[in-house]
Amino acid sequence: MKHIISIIILLSSAIVFAQNEFHVFPLDGKTIAGTPNGNGSIDNPWDLQTALSQSPEYVNGGDTIWIHEGVYNGRFMSLIRSSNSKFITVSAFKDDTVILDGNVSTEGKYVLEVKGGKVIFRNFEVTYLGDFPRLYSDKNIRGANGINHISGECKFQNLKIYNIPGLGFGSWKSTGGSVIEDCIIYNNGIIGKKRGFGEGMYVQNHSDNTRIIRNNIIFNNYYKGVEIWSASSGQNKEFVKNITLSGNVIFNNGIPSGRHQGNVIIASNDRESVNIAKHIKVENNVLYHNVDFIKNNKLGDASSLLLGFIKQALVEDITVTDNVIIGQNNAFSILHAKSVLFKNNTVYTGYVHFDRSTLPGLESQLIQMDHNNYFSKRGVPFRISKHKDYTLKDWQNTFKIDTHSSAGALKDFEINSVLKVSPLHTKPSHFNVVLLEKNGNDVEVNFSDYNIEEGMTYKIYDIENRNKVVKSGKITKTLKVSFPMNLTNFEKPLHNTLAIKSADNFGVFRIEFEKSEKKSFFKRLFGWLF
């Protein structure tokens, strides 16, 4: 009898957690069209909004919604949620190109708004196609944001978010525990009267569950790259906390609007001193603005990492480790901070900037700095505004920090040309590769540590010209691949004349490895038949 009961329980569990597959096609599909009246089968598929509106009784954790090839015109809202321990997956079908095009006449403010929970969104594009204005003053402007994540723990993987006339990706305070990874976010925003608008990513978190932002490439957005931030005051709650920014490449944000903007800001504007940015980690990222390593004395204003915004909201427990931070006069600034750990970073800047509000943290050693390499335009790299500039020796003696750090002139800047090789979490045979070669020479990358085998084929894409293969081949027994620097072609933001490509010295690539198909003797002999 006990065995029978056990079998019944197992069968019941299998039914509860059965993995179903559903299918979506465009409303105007040429061969197969999705409809609101479908049942989600391959023969009777849904349209996208119908699929994203299903209840857990029909689509639940463990199920997959496959979006098939095509352009999906509209503004969409996802309400699906899992009621069990598994995630629902919403993904492009196989290698299909799936594009959500928000350039439509509608009241919706987002191309994709997400209000559900325990959903994985994977392998599709979010954009605007065709004609649309990018000037805020244009009476015909029809702005929108790309993804607006309102609530629920979700995962966003290998998405491409670009040419949105507004914010690329917003993930807000009620979305703790979520993961954003392997995405490419670029060319988003509009031009206002005095500056650009539209960050690549804007992130908050009210939960004690850490949200993770990792291995993304974020560049050429009209305003800042990533804002871990709140502009509001008097909310009487904390929602800029428990965030990890790890392994990302964030560069040249602001350029499409005509001036550099911050690649990353971590702060809040709460003048009531309640909503403090805290418990945030910045680990192993590359933050870069265009610099000329040959004429390196001519620096403008280009921030790559800024901590703190006002003295009423000193950031707390911020960990910044193992990053490459390259910019211009103010590449790295700790403006308003109570406690920071800054360790094992390389910084290229005019000065390392501090505000006087950081003095208590420096004097109490709540701001800790060590094992860093600083390159600055003068022999006094540390500047506390309206207070004093310090040489490295004075800095060490005064505050007992940076004991094992070094400081040099900009002309002496040296770094390994291979800044980062990162396999995608979603596709381990695909890699983000970040290179910096001061003279723009090609760079050889060794893949012997990454489970790559002799004979595998590869394709290399320049991230700034993502749809064009710049090099292909078959890897030899050395497991080394030479990457071409000094490339000139790039994908400009639609309807923009100001954007420029990154400097010749910097390159971000996606390399995709595939195993060569081994043909049988029969296929080799009679291959002409196949």
Side-chain angles (χ1 to χ4, degrees), residues 306-309 333-337 353-358 385:
L306 173 66
L307 306 181
F309 184 71
S333 302
I334 303 179
L335 291 188
H336 302 284
H353 282 263
F354 298 80
D355 188 85
R356 286 175 59 90
S357 64
T358 62
S385 297

Side-chain angles (χ1 to χ4, degrees), residues 249-267:
V249 188
I250 306 170
F251 65 98
N252 283 345
N253 290 286
I255 284 181
S257 61
R259 57 178 292 190
H260 294 279
Q261 296 287 352
N263 281 320
V264 177
I265 180 172
I266 299 171

